[in-house]
Amino acid sequence: MKTSLSAFGRTLLAATLAAGFAMAASAQTAPAPIDVKIIGFNDFHGNLQSPGTFGQNTIVPAAQRHAVGGAEYIAAYVAQLKAQNPNNAVVGGGDFIGASPLISALFFDEPSVEVLNHVGVDFSSVGNHEFDKGSAELKRLQNGGCKITSGQPDPNSCKGLGSALPGTFDGARFKWLSANVIENATGRTLLPPYGIKAFNGVKVAFIGMTLKGTPGIVTPTGVAGLTFRDEADTVNALVPRLRAQGIEAIVVLVHQGGFQTSPNVGDINGCDGNLKNADGSKSDIENIVNRLDNAVDLVISAHTHAAYNCSANTVDVKNVGGSAQSTPRPTGLANKAGRLIPVTSASAFGRIVTDIDLQLDPKTHDVISVKPTNRLVDRTDPAINAAITADPTVRNIVGGYNALVSPLANAVVATIAGPLPNSANGAGEMPAGDLIADAQLAATQPASLGGAQIAFMNAGGVRNPGFVTATNTYPYALTYGDAFTVQPFGNSLVTLTVTATQLKNLLEEQFSGCLGQTANRVMQTSNGLKYSWSASAPACSKIVDATFTPTDVTVAPPVATGPTEVIVSGGVVQNPGKTYRITVNNFMATGGDGFGVLLGGSNLQGGAQDIDALVAYLASFKSPKPAYDPSLPAMGIPRVTLLP
């Protein structure tokens, strides 16, 4: 009996030891997490050349900020980051093109696509500006081929400096993604909804998302025949399809964003946790993230041109094995399940790239952790300069296009007496906007060109930085390139007739809550029209007084040509049936920026392109003629007055 027990004990001990050794061996041979590097940037807007200086935060003195950006530096930074990990993906948050500087826009943004090919982008969401020229043009940029104008290849297309052969355009080697944009005629997505890249056998899905509000901020012809679906609903509907393919790691590239508020507003790696819209309300990006399925692991956002990193000092997103995280992160935005997930944005114009280290569980395919860092694309970094010297490909492409565009870009078109920024005062009036509105009135004021009396310019179309010089030296010789930077859209002018009642309603429609308007959008107003509005008055009752003095702006300085008329007094239209001819761009004329009142205008007459109207007007202020000076009484500034 004793011997038998001893044998049993030895057998049990041997079995226990064998199991322990097996477990230890199993632990030693368990596959390590898979490290992946994701490199993101957004809102490039064709900035092939440096957009200027930038700092880690806004308290950095101007003299200590770094020169940043430029396509060759973006390419070098991306190459440096990719060299750190062969498992990598380069992705974008949209608006890679559109509203671009002349060096890209003159050539239909083909230079930007060629450069992004050489940078090595894999996927990008589609932003609203990718629709500036319509979905057919977006598909051409994706697939390649020359731009056809009047039945012939356009002479500014297919320069091919970054394509396989001169005289050709390869199209984008990266994939534009837009899961929520549907072609009405087919019921299918305009472009692929997502892209997949595998790392050591584990797949990661990148879902591309365009902001659903695109139809309200793009020329309607650019989005004709398309439906824009809800962003969060679209992502959530794709999750089962991706999981059916064995995909557990999901990244959303969404062209929507927010802004930081104090105290982190200037920190490129800061985040207030709850980002805000420009008006202080809860941000659009947080509204989306709050409704996302728990399967989403990372959101790369865009659109607002802001820098933020809502994932600083990130700890585990999910534990190994895919269970919910046990330790909350300091920052992040909560998803549908209440789990904080990282959300990033890389400013705009190539100033910043987001360097994201992501770990994957090789067994469950889950994301284990996400650690993003926003990094300045610093042109003073000696290591990067050495990389550019070693591989000058992108620099040579940019240099070639710059040589082609320079004669036009550097031509002086006017002299300005002082800075004309696109920043608005409390009433919503911009110095740059006053100039543009006057230019558009001058282009359509002759009877044969529309007989306009008043012109309006949408504030969002007056691009940064306005008509200014970096050296702050005035008088300043303004170039065509400067003018194009502020008016890059190629919109055409439209003159139409409205009644005094419609005109008052149009002015009311500038403010959120009136006639479907969703935000305050104060139009820029031409010389001769003056009005006051009350901030405290209810929607659709904010316009207090409005007067109109017929003014000839085709001469410099402008001259009043008739007596002043009272259009609105005490909020009441004085002569409801009286008509006025007004000029807007085609974006506004078709209801852009929520100005639906304009759809009721009559007797429409098309006009010149906005940039051509601007340059023609500026010729009146080209040396040796006196400089454009908004302080002259004849300019009628201010034109808009804010009341309590």
Side-chain angles (χ1 to χ4, degrees):
M1 184 73 166
K2 185 177 180 178
T3 302
S4 174
L5 285 172
S6 177
F8 175 77
R10 287 194 299 272
T11 302
L12 180 61
L13 176 62
T16 301
L17 289 172
F21 287 136
M23 290 176 65
S26 175
Q28 291 175 358
T29 59
I34 300 168
D35 292 321
V36 176
K37 187 173 287 293
I38 298 174
I39 305 157
F41 61 109
N42 52 273
D43 295 278
F44 181 53
H45 288 291
N47 276 255
L48 304 183
Q49 298 167 307
S50 171
T53 60
F54 208 64
Q56 293 282 347
N57 55 64
T58 56
I59 65 173
V60 174
Q64 297 177 22
R65 294 173 188 166
H66 296 265
V68 295
E72 72 272 31
Y73 285 85
I74 296 171
Y77 267 86
V78 169
Q80 183 188 66
L81 293 171
K82 290 174 72 172
Q84 297 174 13
N85 189 343
N87 291 330
N88 58 69
V90 183
V91 299
D95 277 5
F96 271 168
I97 60 168
S100 306
L102 190 61
I103 188 175
S104 182
L106 183 65
F107 308 105
F108 305 104
D109 275 327
E110 293 170 14
S112 292
V113 174
E114 291 175 336
V115 159
L116 292 167
N117 286 342
H118 286 278
V119 168
V121 174
D122 293 295
F123 308 110
S124 178
S125 61
V126 175
N128 53 288
H129 280 290
E130 267 91 3
F131 289 103
D132 282 349
K133 306 300 181 184
S135 59
E137 175 65 356
L138 174 57
K139 284 187 174 182
R140 182 187 75 85
L141 292 172
Q142 175 72 80
N143 299 322
C146 299
K147 173 76 172 180
I148 303 300
T149 305
S150 301
Q152 299 294 326
D154 193 284
N156 286 331
S157 178
C158 279
K159 298 298 184 184
L161 302 188
S163 289
L165 295 171
T168 65
F169 172 59
D170 294 341
R173 292 199 290 268
F174 59 91
K175 290 295 183 185
W176 264 302
L177 308 172
S178 192
N180 64 325
V181 181
I182 308 299
E183 288 184 305
N184 297 340
T186 65
R188 296 192 293 267
T189 57
L190 175 71
L191 293 162
Y194 56 84
I196 297 172
K197 198 165 185 179
F199 304 100
N200 297 357
V202 177
K203 296 176 181 178
V204 177
F206 299 87
I207 301 175
M209 201 66 52
T210 306
L211 72 158
K212 68 179 179 182
T214 293
I217 56 175
V218 172
T219 302
T221 55
V223 293
L226 302 175
T227 294
F228 291 73
R229 293 180 175 170
D230 182 83
E231 302 96 336
D233 290 347
T234 301
V235 170
N236 295 345
L238 286 171
V239 168
R241 186 194 307 184
L242 295 173
R243 280 184 161 160
Q245 301 176 56
I247 298 171
E248 296 293 335
I250 299 175
V251 178
V252 172
L253 312 174
V254 57
H255 195 74
Q256 185 54 280
F259 298 92
Q260 295 188 67
T261 56
S262 181
N264 295 323
V265 65
D267 183 356
I268 66 172
N269 279 298
C271 178
D272 292 335
N274 297 321
L275 299 172
K276 303 296 183 182
N277 289 327
D279 62 3
S281 62
K282 182 179 177 181
S283 68
D284 292 326
I285 187 62
E286 186 174 6
N287 283 324
I288 293 170
V289 174
N290 288 167
R291 296 168 48 231
L292 287 178
D293 190 285
N294 198 35
V296 174
D297 301 292
L298 167 66
V299 174
I300 295 176
S301 66
H303 187 51
T304 58
H305 295 191
Y308 46 83
N309 180 1
C310 295
S311 49
N313 304 314
T314 304
V315 297
D316 285 355
V317 175
K318 295 176 185 172
N319 295 325
V320 176
S323 61
Q325 69 177 37
S326 56
T327 306
R329 289 196 314 266
T331 59
L333 300 184
N335 67 7
K336 185 178 180 179
R339 180 170 66 92
L340 297 177
I341 60 173
V343 180
T344 68
S345 178
S347 183
F349 309 144
R351 299 179 182 121
I352 291 172
V353 294
T354 305
D355 173 12
I356 306 169
D357 290 319
L358 180 146
Q359 281 194 327
L360 300 171
D361 185 330
K363 288 187 175 180
T364 66
H365 297 184
D366 277 314
V367 170
I368 300 170
S369 69
V370 185
K371 297 178 181 179
T373 305
N374 277 334
R375 303 188 186 280
L376 289 181
V377 179
D378 185 354
R379 293 172 66 92
T380 66
D381 186 329
I384 295 299
N385 278 296
I388 291 169
T389 301
D391 183 10
T393 302
V394 173
R395 181 182 59 190
N396 290 343
I397 295 171
V398 175
Y401 280 110
N402 188 53
L404 291 177
V405 80
S406 288
L408 176 60
N410 294 329
V412 174
V413 295
T415 304
I416 56 175
L420 304 169
N422 74 331
S423 53
N425 62 17
E429 188 171 356
M430 303 174 176
D434 289 333
L435 170 57
I436 292 171
D438 286 350
Q440 297 187 356
L441 177 59
T444 55
Q445 198 164 47
S448 61
L449 299 178
Q453 299 163 282
I454 301 166
F456 294 108
M457 176 64 194
N458 60 307
V462 184
R463 304 302 284 186
N464 192 56
F467 306 99
V468 299
T469 170
T471 62
N472 202 32
T473 303
Y474 297 91
Y476 173 61
L478 196 74
T479 67
Y480 185 92
D482 294 328
F484 191 90
T485 296
V486 188
Q487 286 283 268
F489 295 106
N491 287 331
S492 58
L493 304 184
V494 178
T495 303
L496 48 89
T497 298
V498 296
T499 65
T501 297
Q502 288 175 311
L503 180 56
K504 198 260 188 182
N505 289 342
L506 175 63
L507 295 175
E508 295 284 5
E509 201 172 25
Q510 297 176 110
F511 305 106
S512 180
C514 183
L515 301 176
Q517 183 60 269
T518 58
N520 285 353
R521 294 188 167 105
V522 178
M523 298 180 293
Q524 305 306 293
T525 303
S526 62
N527 199 342
L529 180 70
K530 289 180 179 288
Y531 70 91
S532 61
W533 63 279
S534 170
S536 60
C540 290
S541 298
K542 291 185 178 293
I543 302 303
V544 179
D545 298 291
T547 62
F548 170 63
T549 305
T551 302
D552 185 356
V553 297
T554 64
V555 296
V559 177
T561 59
T564 298
E565 308 170 13
V566 177
I567 302 174
V568 179
S569 178
V572 179
V573 179
Q574 299 301 292
N575 190 352
K578 185 174 176 62
T579 60
Y580 296 89
R581 294 286 284 167
I582 66 171
T583 291
V584 293
N585 58 40
N586 62 294
F587 166 67
M588 297 176 68
T590 49
D593 269 354
F595 291 113
V597 168
L598 292 170
L599 296 172
S602 60
N603 300 321
L604 276 65
Q605 180 173 336
Q609 281 203 333
D610 48 13
I611 183 63
D612 295 336
L614 177 60
V615 171
Y617 179 70
L618 288 170
S620 298
F621 306 97
K622 184 177 179 181
S623 181
K625 298 174 183 177
Y628 177 87
D629 186 353
S631 68
L632 294 176
M635 293 298 184
I637 296 171
R639 300 166 186 177
V640 184
T641 301
L642 174 62
L643 302 175

